Amino acid sequence: MFNTGKFVGKTVLITGASRGIGKEIALKLAKDGANIVVAAKTATAHPKLPGTIYSAAEEIEKAGGKALPCIVDVRDEVSVKASVEEAVKKFGGIDILINNASAISLTDTESTEMKRYDLMHSINTRGTYLMTKTCLPYLKSGKNPHVLNISPPLLMEPRWFANHVAYTMAKYGMSMCVLGQHEEFRPHGIAVNALWPLTAIWTAAMEMLSDKGGEAGSRKPAIMADAAYAVLSKNSRDFTGNFLIDEDVLKAEGVTDFERYACVPDAPLMPDFFIPSGTYDHKFAPGAGIGKKKVAHEAGVIEEEIKQVFASAKRLLNEDIVKKAGFVYEFILKDPVTKTERFITLDLKNGGGSLVDKKTTDKPDVKFTLSPEHFAPLFAGKLRPTTALMTKKLKISGDMPGAMKLEGILRKFTEGKL
């Protein structure tokens, strides 16, 4: 997606712009000569997450834009108002607001502390609402004014709620702002849209969450930046109230080469959360596509593959990986033919670790429910846990960050580097 220069002199306030998707969008618009308000909390570097509002501002200036770094807590009304007033004072107004700041905790109801629940709702839903409300008077007089929320389509499917209902509620709150405010702001010519990635996007936060295990199936933040550029280029009076997927936006703009966005070219893609069933399933499988090719496994073949997994585990598990992991995983193998259940426990919390063909605890940290034929491919790296979840080959309950961490563990398992 080429820069056209149409954002020169436009003022864009982006929350959570010190790193990741927010910063990538800022840099894309800066190449046109836009004024970027870097609104984020990070004033000093995080030990595991690089980037501050000041380092982002420096990059924006080098890219050709003008930058205003603002220390902003989107939960705090005083902080938000101060940043908006400072932006208006420096640049004369606000033309575009991008609500990107977000908090995540992929935990079930029992595991979600109320302070974590409050954090997600106060940043995701309330923060988006507050920032939009505060910018509104200036957006009304903006040039082709847009509000863009980095939030998902509103899919009312139980699978997107069951494992992390608190997070889904908070994230959907951002999308509900789009649903309501696009119609409310229509008389003012202010567009309000949502943009969401089709695949996982590889950022420093994603690297930390997945223990460096998901890069091969992810895309670079540049795809979201290019898609945002296309959306914000639309006439704000005509293009509003849309729940958009990044790849769809770029296809409509004539983009055909998506390998440029791949972190690892030709690697099977890993879908993001909140992607509609069926429509994109063919994107997330090596070869012909998930759900369109059934491989007939005889019971003896499946059992032999499972035995090989046990043999590999015995050889590779050690205390070092247990120290890094700290979770007990239970795999419930449900045979669709015999209707029987088989329990396999991967203990990466105690001693030197173990993989045993039985249930060892009533309270594993994470439970995976799947068909026996998918167990060995999961350990062999042929089926990614996240992809299996999105395509309904796998159900997960319990500690979702622990489940995400398994992605990196299984990658090392496949490489024989445990």
Side-chain angles (χ1 to χ4, degrees), residues 135-208:
C135 288
L136 183 57
Y138 306 103
L139 289 167
K140 286 179 179 180
S141 56
K143 299 174 184 176
N144 197 40
H146 278 260
V147 175
L148 183 63
N149 293 352
I150 307 304
S151 63
L154 289 166
L155 303 175
M156 294 301 162
E157 299 177 23
R159 65 183 177 128
W160 298 127
F161 291 84
N163 294 320
H164 40 73
V165 63
Y167 171 65
T168 299
M169 290 166 63
K171 203 66 188 176
Y172 276 22
M174 297 176 70
S175 297
M176 291 174 73
C177 287
V178 173
L179 188 64
Q181 290 171 341
H182 91 270
E183 196 62 38
E184 180 186 352
F185 300 168
R186 190 186 292 276
H188 306 294
I190 302 170
V192 186
N193 293 292
L195 178 65
W196 192 246
L198 176 62
T199 71
I201 300 295
W202 193 248
T203 62
M206 181 73 171
E207 182 176 348
M208 185 176 72

Side-chain angles (χ1 to χ4, degrees), residues 10-323:
K10 294 281 189 75
T11 298
V12 186
L13 191 153
I14 308 175
T15 65
S18 59
R19 60 174 72 95
I21 291 171
K23 188 182 82 170
E24 198 72 22
I25 295 174
L27 292 173
K28 178 71 177 179
L29 297 172
K31 290 176 183 177
D32 270 10
N35 307 318
I36 308 295
V37 183
V38 184
K41 284 183 65 180
T42 310
T44 55
H46 186 281
K48 294 183 179 180
L49 295 172
T52 68
I53 58 172
Y54 304 111
S55 62
E58 186 177 346
E59 289 183 56
I60 288 164
E61 297 273 358
K62 287 180 180 178
K66 294 180 180 178
L68 174 63
C70 291
I71 301 174
V72 179
D73 182 349
V74 297
R75 299 171 294 177
D76 180 62
E77 191 170 1
V78 174
S79 174
V80 167
K81 285 184 176 180
S83 68
V84 171
E85 289 171 2
E86 190 175 353
V88 172
K89 182 179 179 181
K90 182 175 179 65
F91 297 124
I94 295 173
D95 302 297
I96 296 168
L97 167 63
I98 300 175
N99 288 305
N100 170 69
S102 186
I104 182 172
S105 180
L106 297 172
T107 47
D108 60 17
T109 300
E110 192 172 11
S111 306
T112 304
E113 297 178 357
M114 288 314 298
K115 65 178 182 180
R116 178 62 59 177
Y117 176 97
D118 292 339
L119 178 70
M120 288 189 286
H121 282 260
S122 60
I123 291 177
N124 300 4
T125 305
R126 186 179 184 277
T128 294
Y129 187 92
L130 172 59
M131 186 60 81
T132 304
K133 173 182 170 65
T134 308
C135 288
L136 183 57
Y138 306 103
L139 289 167
K140 286 179 179 180
S141 56
K143 299 174 184 176
N144 197 40
H146 278 260
V147 175
L148 183 63
N149 293 352
I150 307 304
S151 63
L154 289 166
L155 303 175
M156 294 301 162
E157 299 177 23
R159 65 183 177 128
W160 298 127
F161 291 84
N163 294 320
H164 40 73
V165 63
Y167 171 65
T168 299
M169 290 166 63
K171 203 66 188 176
Y172 276 22
M174 297 176 70
S175 297
M176 291 174 73
C177 287
V178 173
L179 188 64
Q181 290 171 341
H182 91 270
E183 196 62 38
E184 180 186 352
F185 300 168
R186 190 186 292 276
H188 306 294
I190 302 170
V192 186
N193 293 292
L195 178 65
W196 192 246
L198 176 62
T199 71
I201 300 295
W202 193 248
T203 62
M206 181 73 171
E207 182 176 348
M208 185 176 72
L209 280 170
S210 66
D211 193 29
K212 302 181 180 181
E215 184 177 11
S218 302
R219 283 173 170 167
K220 301 170 186 175
I223 190 170
M224 284 291 284
D226 284 355
Y229 188 95
V231 173
L232 298 172
S233 298
K234 304 286 187 185
N235 187 315
S236 63
R237 291 188 175 275
D238 300 329
F239 195 81
T240 187
N242 301 289
F243 294 89
L244 305 158
I245 300 296
D246 57 358
E247 183 173 310
D248 292 344
V249 170
L250 294 175
K251 281 183 176 179
E253 295 294 319
V255 176
T256 56
D257 177 17
F258 289 91
E259 277 298 300
R260 73 177 84 172
Y261 300 115
C263 292
V264 179
D266 298 321
L269 294 171
M270 181 168 60
D272 202 349
F273 292 89
F274 312 118
I275 297 301
S277 299
T279 309
Y280 303 99
D281 285 0
H282 66 285
K283 303 286 295 185
F284 305 117
I290 289 175
K292 293 193 176 181
K293 183 178 180 183
K294 291 185 178 179
V295 181
H297 277 282
E298 295 181 359
V301 176
I302 295 173
E303 186 58 36
E304 185 58 35
E305 290 178 343
I306 292 175
K307 286 180 180 178
Q308 291 174 9
V309 172
F310 276 93
S312 296
K314 187 175 182 179
R315 184 177 74 255
L316 297 171
L317 289 175
N318 56 55
E319 291 184 2
D320 288 338
I321 193 64
V322 170
K323 289 177 183 178

